[in-house]
Amino acid sequence: MNIEPTHPTIKNPPEQFAGDVWFDPITVPHDDDQRMVVGLVRFAPGARTAWHSHARGQYLRVTGGVGRFGTRDGEIVEVHPGQTLYTPPGQEHWHASAAGTFMEHLAMFENADDPAVTTSWLEHITDDDYRGAAASTPS
Ligand code: MN
């Protein structure tokens, strides 16, 4: 056994995040048959992800602040420290901090067989998406 190396904090890219969001890797796979990835993610007030989905789903444990999470049906779930949100495989969603507060969560998910498709990134969310005012029409 070993103490894992400490990774530098990564500033998440603007193509996929609006506002300042930082990522600290906690676990990354050692071997080809390992899938588990855990990271600590910190959102500045009002910062948000773009729409995205995870091939094998995701668990999000809020550890600080107030989180907002949205899906395509316009539902917004507000999540507080000590609560864990689950998003099933393939469900398009976004993560954000509530206005006026930082938000910190642990992100836990498993890599896809091809790690390049573990997370599928889409377009940025709109302010209406963030407010929960605009449920998209199913096509
Ligand atoms: Mn996600």
Side-chain angles (χ1 to χ4, degrees), residues 3 6 11 13 20 24 28-29 38 51 56-57 61-64 81 93 96 104 114 124 126-127 129-131 136:
I3 293 176
T6 301
K11 177 79 175 292
D20 289 342
D24 283 288
V28 294
V38 179
W51 287 104
R56 296 183 185 274
R61 174 62 173 255
V62 173
T63 52
H93 66 280
E104 178 184 276
D114 174 3
H124 278 288
T126 66
D127 287 342
D129 290 331
Y130 179 78
R131 288 190 293 263
S136 62

Side-chain angles (χ1 to χ4, degrees), residues 5-139:
T6 301
H7 303 276
T9 298
I10 299 163
K11 177 79 175 292
N12 280 336
E15 294 78 13
Q16 297 157 351
F17 295 84
D20 289 342
V21 181
W22 292 269
F23 182 75
D24 283 288
I26 294 175
T27 74
V28 294
H30 283 240
D31 300 325
D32 288 345
D33 64 345
Q34 294 178 324
R35 300 177 181 279
M36 183 173 74
V37 178
V38 179
L40 178 63
V41 191
R42 296 182 175 103
F43 291 72
R48 55 202 74 172
T49 72
W51 287 104
H52 64 282
S53 64
H54 306 281
R56 296 183 185 274
Q58 183 178 55
Y59 295 84
L60 297 163
R61 174 62 173 255
V62 173
T63 52
V66 179
R68 288 172 72 77
F69 301 85
T71 48
R72 291 286 189 185
D73 59 5
E75 182 184 15
I76 305 287
V77 179
E78 192 172 279
V79 183
H80 294 268
Q83 295 181 309
T84 301
L85 185 77
Y86 170 67
T87 66
Q91 183 181 55
E92 295 178 2
H93 66 280
W94 48 265
H95 321 188
S97 54
T101 180
F102 278 84
M103 189 273 284
E104 178 184 276
H105 68 51
L106 290 168
M108 298 167 274
F109 55 96
E110 293 185 301
N111 278 335
D113 291 335
D114 174 3
V117 299
T118 295
T119 300
S120 299
W121 288 101
L122 301 160
E123 77 277 14
H124 278 288
I125 71 168
T126 66
D127 287 342
D128 282 346
D129 290 331
Y130 179 78
R131 288 190 293 263
S136 62
T137 305
S139 54

